Amino acid sequence: MTESKEHTNEHSIDTATGENAPAELSSDRVQKIFTDIAWDYERFNRLSSFGQYVGWLETLIDNSPITSDSRMLDIAGGTGDVSFMACSRKKPKEIILSDYTPAMLEVAQERLDEGENRGVPMELAVVDGQDIPYEDDSFDIITMSYGIRNMPKREQALSEMFRVLKPGGSLCVLEFSTPPNPLMRLGYRLYLRWGIPLWGKFCTGDASGFIYLAKSIKAFPDQEGFAQMLREAGFTDVEWTNVTFGVAAVHIAKKPL
Ligand SMILES: C[S@@+](CC[C@H](N)C(=O)[O-])C[C@H]1O[C@@H](n2cnc3c(N)ncnc32)[C@H](O)[C@@H]1O
């Protein structure tokens, strides 16, 4: 680990609206939400996405250029779905499964204790993706699913991920996005407005986190908008694959050699 760094881009937003706001507003809220739902998180994901969730993760891992030599950092790794799927489908050399919310990592630790890493060396670490405590040029692969949307300092987060990737390394991001088809888009907006909060209340007894989820998805840039943010952070060869009509997308971006 290294000492914390000077950051030149401190721009921050309210992740529920996209409006400028102090970072603490979103950071404190997101940590409370994920602390409260940590043990219900996986069940909710399966139910709310009608089982699509696993297929989206498979697309993330299958599209990511992970090899048996890869040193991988999973940012906002939560309860470990991305990391454990990487273990079963690609077997990288080692993984740091990191997240900002300790309660999410407690669930990941239980899964690690049960052997879901299938022998792949794995370390768990509390890490803020906007201020990554690792050396420059440390990782071949960074994965992040449903992380960047929850970060109020997105430019700083992407620049930190760029910094700790090795030249030639890849950032692989799964995030909710915008269906290009207008009819699908309308249906999806209605589901976000009414369906997600109802499902959330049914699964966890509290709708507030899910109202936030729906708002933050609506406020997040579309596929090209996020690709542009990646280019502005220095990434090249930015490509994306839509899943389920563009409800979500997998972006892969390279740090140039
Ligand atoms: C929707 S969950 C995704 C978890 C996991 N990647 C998955 O696909 O199941 C979002 C995660 O982002 C984490 N998170 C939010 N802000 C973060 C930050 N600044 N740095 C790192 N993780 C953050 C939360 O603690 C939460 O675990």
Side-chain angles (χ1 to χ4, degrees):
M1 297 225 178
T2 55
E3 294 296 307
S4 68
K5 304 146 291 292
E6 290 283 315
H7 291 292
T8 50
N9 195 337
E10 298 273 343
H11 172 233
S12 66
I13 57 166
D14 175 350
T15 54
T17 63
E19 305 288 333
N20 291 346
E24 296 69 37
L25 172 82
S26 299
S27 301
D28 294 351
R29 176 178 54 208
V30 88
Q31 201 172 48
K32 179 178 182 329
I33 289 173
F34 286 102
T35 300
D36 289 349
I37 65 164
W39 292 92
D40 291 315
Y41 174 77
E42 288 165 34
R43 188 163 54 97
F44 172 76
N45 270 349
R46 274 194 303 276
L47 289 173
S48 64
S49 70
F50 302 103
Q52 300 290 299
Y53 175 75
V54 174
W56 297 351
L57 284 178
E58 285 171 355
T59 303
L60 170 67
I61 296 303
D62 292 351
N63 287 14
S64 302
I66 303 168
T67 71
S68 54
D69 285 330
S70 298
R71 183 154 196 255
M72 171 176 149
L73 173 64
D74 189 13
I75 294 273
T79 59
D81 279 347
V82 170
S83 291
F84 293 123
M85 190 171 279
C87 293
S88 67
R89 290 175 95 82
K90 294 267 175 98
K91 283 213 174 291
K93 187 170 160 199
E94 57 176 295
I95 300 181
I96 297 181
L97 192 187
S98 72
D99 197 274
Y100 182 57
T101 306
M104 294 291 272
L105 291 175
E106 281 170 27
V107 182
Q109 181 65 55
E110 192 172 278
R111 297 176 67 179
L112 180 57
D113 293 343
E114 283 164 6
E116 281 198 54
N117 58 324
R118 296 163 188 250
V120 174
M122 187 183 286
E123 182 190 314
L124 269 50
V126 177
V127 168
D128 180 350
Q130 305 161 124
D131 195 6
I132 303 175
Y134 301 114
E135 306 275 356
D136 298 0
D137 306 340
S138 296
F139 298 95
D140 304 287
I141 298 283
I142 295 179
T143 51
M144 176 171 55
S145 68
Y146 315 114
I148 190 73
R149 178 175 37 82
N150 292 304
M151 295 183 193
K153 294 190 263 178
R154 289 182 186 153
E155 292 91 351
Q156 183 175 307
L158 293 178
S159 115
E160 277 289 87
M161 291 174 219
F162 187 85
R163 181 183 66 75
V164 301
L165 265 179
K166 294 179 189 171
S170 296
L171 171 63
C172 312
V173 181
L174 169 62
E175 190 50 86
F176 288 105
S177 204
T178 307
N181 178 295
L183 215 57
M184 286 301 304
R185 198 157 57 236
L186 178 66
Y188 183 45
R189 291 254 155 95
L190 290 174
Y191 178 60
L192 287 177
R193 178 76 181 80
W194 303 106
I196 288 273
L198 272 176
W199 262 124
K201 182 142 178 60
F202 173 73
C203 295
T204 68
D206 177 12
S208 58
F210 301 94
I211 293 170
Y212 162 75
L213 170 69
K215 282 185 176 171
S216 69
I217 293 173
K218 205 164 157 243
F220 192 72
D222 66 8
Q223 288 83 341
E224 174 52 32
F226 181 55
Q228 188 54 28
M229 289 180 71
L230 289 164
R231 292 182 203 110
E232 281 164 14
F235 290 97
T236 58
D237 304 294
V238 180
E239 292 180 352
W240 72 81
T241 304
N242 284 334
V243 289
T244 315
F245 309 107
V247 162
V250 170
H251 283 73
I252 308 286
K254 273 211 170 317
K255 177 168 173 175
L257 283 168

